[in-house]
Amino acid sequence: MTLEATAPGANYGSSASNSSFYAAMRILPRDQREAMFQIYSFCRQVDDIADSDGPRDERLAALQEWRNDIDALYQGNPPPRLKDYVASVKTFGLKREDFLAIVDGMEMDVPQDIRAPDMATLDLYCDRVASAVGRLSVRVFGLPEDDGILLAYHLGRALQLTNILRDIDEDAGLGRLYLPREALLHAGITSDDPNRVTAERALPKVCLPLTQRAKAHFEKSDEIMNRNRRRAVRAPRIMSKYYHSILDLLIARGFNAPREPVRVSKVTRILILLRYAFI
């Protein structure tokens, strides 16, 4: 709720995601804000490992070191890079399995580049790199357990699918293709070569059903946020509105090549903040 979770399908490193993240997090009380920046820092560091151009075995080893460090943190012996996390884990009840799920998600890009995963694998990827981040985040925001988990499920997937649709060409440049195999085959596309797929005239037939899936997740997340305290959902609401705006721009632009990058205007960003940040 990634935050926008972001291996290239996600976005811990893009300026767009950073601006929306920082805007949403700066409105939080200090202890919540510090916990969220710790979560973000963790995501960014493991994402950088997954996206580096280092040897794959070295990247796998580095991700395993993070798993070991998370285990040590929860065993009461935090390594130096996680010492500051102790208070947040205790205060907000952050779960070890969610941190580990994020590492597992980042690792999905490492043994080999993801190319046209089946829908079940894509959903697992979204759960690990986006909804797991959401599960950590909703505990910090103070949502009730059941609605928090539901919000993480739906908003995480909405953000991640929007990222994937936005970054089709950027991901192809990295040799990755997150569009699901079933949708490609339904559109008559049999290749999983990212550069070939992004040039296909049938690509809109692949992308439009994913936009509908993302919109459905946004709608479900809105329902959940609407029935919870406004102050508890300020940050996820801002993230949702930013990313829903991106999705709307993508739909308006279309998915035929050439695809110009989309960007939420400064005026729109300010209006979102004015409407949802100050309650």
Side-chain angles (χ1 to χ4, degrees):
M1 261 201 262
T2 245
L3 278 93
E4 31 235 267
T6 67
N11 271 307
Y12 299 114
S14 77
S15 60
S17 74
N18 284 344
S19 64
S20 58
F21 176 84
Y22 281 103
M25 298 311 129
R26 287 177 65 184
I27 66 172
L28 296 172
R30 182 176 178 178
D31 59 342
Q32 291 180 316
R33 184 171 65 249
E34 289 180 353
M36 288 306 303
F37 279 115
Q38 288 166 359
I39 293 168
Y40 177 89
S41 175
F42 168 77
C43 293
R44 179 63 188 270
Q45 291 180 76
V46 293
D47 183 57
D48 284 347
I49 293 169
D51 284 354
S52 77
D53 55 4
R56 294 183 188 270
D57 59 343
E58 292 182 8
R59 285 184 277 163
L60 290 171
L63 290 173
Q64 183 57 47
E65 288 180 9
W66 271 107
R67 289 192 185 91
N68 296 341
D69 284 355
I70 291 296
D71 285 341
L73 169 65
Y74 280 86
Q75 291 164 3
N77 186 31
R81 61 182 173 182
L82 291 178
K83 282 189 179 296
D84 292 343
Y85 287 57
V86 173
S88 295
V89 167
K90 182 177 180 180
T91 299
F92 299 110
L94 305 182
K95 300 295 186 183
R96 166 182 171 273
E97 55 264 32
D98 292 325
F99 282 110
L100 294 177
I102 295 168
V103 179
D104 290 343
M106 300 303 178
E107 190 176 80
M108 290 175 72
D109 277 311
V110 177
Q112 58 186 15
D113 294 321
I114 289 182
R115 293 192 175 188
D118 60 44
M119 186 61 77
T121 301
L122 176 62
D123 190 66
L124 176 62
Y125 178 78
C126 290
D127 186 80
R128 287 173 168 175
V129 304
S131 292
V133 183
R135 290 191 291 272
L136 292 170
S137 303
V138 294
R139 294 182 181 278
V140 176
F141 300 148
L143 271 77
E145 178 78 9
D146 290 345
D147 269 359
I149 297 300
L150 273 178
L151 181 59
Y153 177 92
H154 287 293
L155 188 52
R157 283 161 169 80
L159 300 182
Q160 190 62 26
L161 289 172
T162 301
N163 278 324
I164 288 169
L165 290 164
R166 182 192 61 192
D167 296 339
I168 290 171
D169 295 298
E170 180 181 342
D171 292 336
L174 297 171
R176 296 172 181 174
L177 178 67
Y178 294 91
L179 301 176
R181 182 183 312 155
E182 295 91 334
L184 292 168
L185 293 175
H186 182 71
I189 300 174
T190 57
S191 174
D192 66 357
D193 179 276
N195 292 315
R196 290 186 60 182
V197 171
T198 55
E200 287 277 358
R201 294 181 63 181
L203 190 64
K205 191 174 181 180
V206 179
C207 296
L208 291 178
L210 290 182
T211 68
Q212 296 305 310
R213 185 182 290 263
K215 287 176 69 173
H217 284 302
F218 276 121
E219 290 170 4
K220 288 290 187 181
S221 64
D222 281 343
E223 291 176 10
I224 298 163
M225 288 188 284
N226 288 341
R227 64 179 180 245
N228 281 277
R229 294 181 299 112
R230 291 185 67 187
R231 186 166 293 274
V233 298
R234 285 186 304 169
R237 180 83 76 178
I238 291 168
M239 296 295 300
S240 175
K241 295 302 178 183
Y242 274 146
Y243 267 75
H244 206 307
S245 296
I246 292 173
L247 183 65
D248 288 341
L249 290 170
L250 291 170
I251 293 170
R253 181 205 65 188
F255 293 93
N256 285 310
R259 288 168 289 275
E260 291 296 321
V262 303
R263 186 180 301 275
V264 178
S265 71
K266 184 175 181 179
V267 171
T268 298
R269 296 198 303 269
I270 291 172
L271 289 175
I272 290 171
L273 280 175
L274 289 175
R275 182 171 182 182
Y276 298 106
F278 307 106
I279 299 173

